[in-house]
């Protein structure tokens, strides 16, 4: 089976301890359990490489959990397995997520030598009080140290994750975090608003609502973030992502533009062959898998309606929006033939703009993007 260029996601579900806001598939584990998991992950990568006859891969993203928690030799072995199984483009972007409290110079050197060329630090805040509230295991000083060590090891493409609307956060403390971090001149920022998810410690915490910024304060932080980063030379290219020119995250852009990808590991999601499917989220079930394609085979293809809905949902996340010609090419019909009514109504409210070539959400309406996207359900 041949396929066009792919993106790969490798999930490392292990972390030192669960953060108070985290609903991702992640948990602490012992060395033996980690080793068993890594071997299974390699089996899955090898299987898909053989099945698809070593297709070309444009990006790899190693996420978690905390990938930087496990020994560097295991990350190296995973990268070797990827290169043995797939045709990796010379210009391949390869990202690893890292917690500032778990990186060392040795790990960073191994990452660099095995082909990882982009690192994403999960900082979230520069303030001790806010980090403690979130349950993070690092300090801002840990982050600064890790950042400079990454530079010394040769990383020229660094992202920093920050979080707005943290309990007890104010506009002033948000700006302090942003400006202190920007002094280090990373190439990319991802800045997300905290969402309280069911099943997390924050969800169960009594009195938390009284500590959270209001929705209006959250919106003001969102706009202030864009204004500060724009002044510093970073452009918002997606709802929550900002980059210096040429440093947009190619892996995530692939997600938002409908590029096929395979997710390997526990609970990892994939989009391939016009199907969306996911691995088991239960470790015992994942480790017992013998036919890695079984989940894919039983899934039905997305209908044309579902594909169009996803195309609009994901494409409108990008500040450049959706090209009308690309929609026509992909679906064999004009975008206005399908979505004329919501486009006209949203445009009338100032929540959407269009010209002869494209349709996009204007900057001042990006905070309301979820409201906009709901209008494109057919």
């Amino acid at each position: 089976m041949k396929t066009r260029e792919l993106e790969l996601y490798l999930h490392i579900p292990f972390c030192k301890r669960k953060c108070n806001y985290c609903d991702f598939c992640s948990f602490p584990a012992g060395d033996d359990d980690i080793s068993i998991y890594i071997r299974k992950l390699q089996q899955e990568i090898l299987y898909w490489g053989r099945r698809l006859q070593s297709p070309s891969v444009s990006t790899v993203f190693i996420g978690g959990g905390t990938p930087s928690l496990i020994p560097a030799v295991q990350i190296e072995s995973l990268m070797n397995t990827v290169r043995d199984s797939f045709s990796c483009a010379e210009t391949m972007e390869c990202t690893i997520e890292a917690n500032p409290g778990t990186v060392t110079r040795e790990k960073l050197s191994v990452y660099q030598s095995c082909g990882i060329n982009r690192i994403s630090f999960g900082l979230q805040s520069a303030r001790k009080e806010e980090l403690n509230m979130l349950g993070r295991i690092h300090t801002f000083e840990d982050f600064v140290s890790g950042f400079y060590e990454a530079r010394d090891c040769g990383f020229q493409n660094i992202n920093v994750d920050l979080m707005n609307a943290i309990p007890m956060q104010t506009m002033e403390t948000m700006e302090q975090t942003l400006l202190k971090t920007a002094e280090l001149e990373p190439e990319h920022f991802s800045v997300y608003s905290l969402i309280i998810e069911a099943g997390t410690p924050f969800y169960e915490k009594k009195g938390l609502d009284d500590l959270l910024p209001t929705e209006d304060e959250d919106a003001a932080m969102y706009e202030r973030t864009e204004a500060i980063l724009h002044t510093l030379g970073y452009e918002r290219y997606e709802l929550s992502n900002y980059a210096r020119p040429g440093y947009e995250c190619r892996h995530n852009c692939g997600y938002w533009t409908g590029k096929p990808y395979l997710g390997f590991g526990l609970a990892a999601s994939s989009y391939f062959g016009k199907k969306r499917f996911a691995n088991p989220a239960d470790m015992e079930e994942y480790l017992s898998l013998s036919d890695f394609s079984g989940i894919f085979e039983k899934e039905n293809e997305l209908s044309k309606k579902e594909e169009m809905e996803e195309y609009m949902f994901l494409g409108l996340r990008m500040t450049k929006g959706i090209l009308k010609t690309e929609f026509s090419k992909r679906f064999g019909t004009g975008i206005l033939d399908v979505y004329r009514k919501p486009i006209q109504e949203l445009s009338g409210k100032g929540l959407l703009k269009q010209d002869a070539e494209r349709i996009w959400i204007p900057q001042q309406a990006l905070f309301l993007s979820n409201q906009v996207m709901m209008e494109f359900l057919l």
Side-chain angles (χ1 to χ4, degrees), residues 353-372:
K353 285 192 173 184
Q354 66 169 315
D355 58 22
E357 297 181 348
R358 63 189 181 103
I359 295 170
W360 71 98
I361 301 175
Q363 290 278 350
Q364 69 272 15
L366 285 173
F367 191 74
L368 301 173
S369 59
N370 286 339
Q371 176 183 329
V372 173

Side-chain angles (χ1 to χ4, degrees), residues 57-102:
V57 169
S58 58
T59 68
V60 175
F61 196 104
I62 305 173
T66 308
S68 58
L69 176 70
I70 71 174
V73 66
Q74 293 179 321
I75 296 295
E76 184 178 33
S77 70
L78 287 174
M79 286 302 300
N80 289 338
T81 303
V82 167
R83 293 185 184 280
D84 289 342
S85 306
F86 295 88
S87 299
C88 296
E90 288 186 15
T91 58
M92 183 176 77
E93 174 193 270
C94 185
T95 303
I96 188 167
E97 291 183 335
N99 184 301
T102 62

Side-chain angles (χ1 to χ4, degrees), residues 125-347:
S125 173
R127 292 178 60 82
K128 180 180 179 180
E129 299 84 358
E130 292 172 0
L131 290 172
N132 288 341
M133 173 65 73
L134 293 171
R136 303 294 288 175
I137 64 171
H138 65 269
T139 65
F140 182 69
E141 290 70 28
D142 290 333
F143 162 72
V144 173
S145 175
F147 187 97
Y148 282 128
E149 286 188 337
R151 285 288 196 231
D152 288 345
C153 290
F155 281 95
Q156 300 177 18
N157 191 354
I158 299 179
N159 169 64
V160 182
D161 281 352
L162 297 178
M163 190 174 287
N164 286 344
I166 297 170
M168 300 188 298
Q169 188 182 47
T170 65
M171 180 70 80
E172 182 181 3
T173 64
M174 182 279 291
E175 290 182 357
Q176 289 172 354
T177 284
L178 194 58
L179 291 170
K180 285 180 69 174
T181 308
E183 287 179 1
L184 278 70
E185 299 187 344
E187 286 70 31
H188 191 285
F189 279 94
S190 296
V191 188
Y192 303 95
S193 291
L194 172 66
I195 298 175
I196 308 299
E197 301 284 2
T200 64
F202 268 171
Y203 189 81
E204 307 296 334
K205 187 177 178 64
K206 294 182 179 179
L208 184 67
D209 287 347
D210 296 332
L211 303 176
L212 291 169
T214 66
E215 186 173 338
D216 286 344
E217 289 171 331
D218 186 10
M221 289 179 186
Y222 184 78
E223 291 308 313
R224 184 63 180 146
T225 296
E226 193 279 332
I228 291 174
L229 290 178
H230 175 76
T231 300
L232 296 174
Y234 299 88
E235 294 302 322
R236 179 160 59 190
Y237 67 97
E238 190 270 345
L239 294 179
S240 303
N241 287 276
Y242 308 77
R244 294 196 183 278
Y247 287 96
E248 297 83 359
C249 179
R250 288 163 47 200
H251 185 85
N252 286 341
C253 286
Y255 287 158
W256 301 319
T257 55
K259 194 168 185 177
Y261 61 89
L262 288 175
F264 301 131
L266 193 67
S269 297
S270 300
Y271 172 59
F272 176 75
K274 295 189 176 183
K275 298 179 182 181
R276 291 202 179 274
F277 53 101
N279 280 342
D282 177 79
M283 181 64 87
E284 185 176 344
E285 186 179 353
Y286 173 71
L287 293 177
S288 68
L289 285 177
S290 56
D291 178 12
F292 292 106
S293 66
I295 300 168
F296 168 73
E297 299 294 355
K298 72 180 182 182
E299 288 293 321
N300 294 319
E301 284 190 17
L302 296 175
S303 67
K304 186 175 180 179
K305 167 182 167 294
E306 290 170 328
E307 280 198 275
M308 286 192 290
E309 289 174 344
E310 287 199 0
Y311 189 82
M312 298 301 293
F313 267 62
L314 295 172
L316 286 173
R317 292 185 62 91
M318 306 284 285
T319 56
K320 67 181 181 181
I322 292 169
L323 287 173
K324 294 179 179 179
T325 53
E326 185 61 32
F327 186 95
S328 299
K329 179 181 177 182
R330 191 178 185 114
F331 299 110
T333 185
I335 194 168
L336 293 178
D337 295 331
V338 181
Y339 287 115
R340 183 179 301 276
K341 183 178 178 181
I343 289 172
Q344 288 179 341
E345 290 180 351
L346 290 167
S347 297

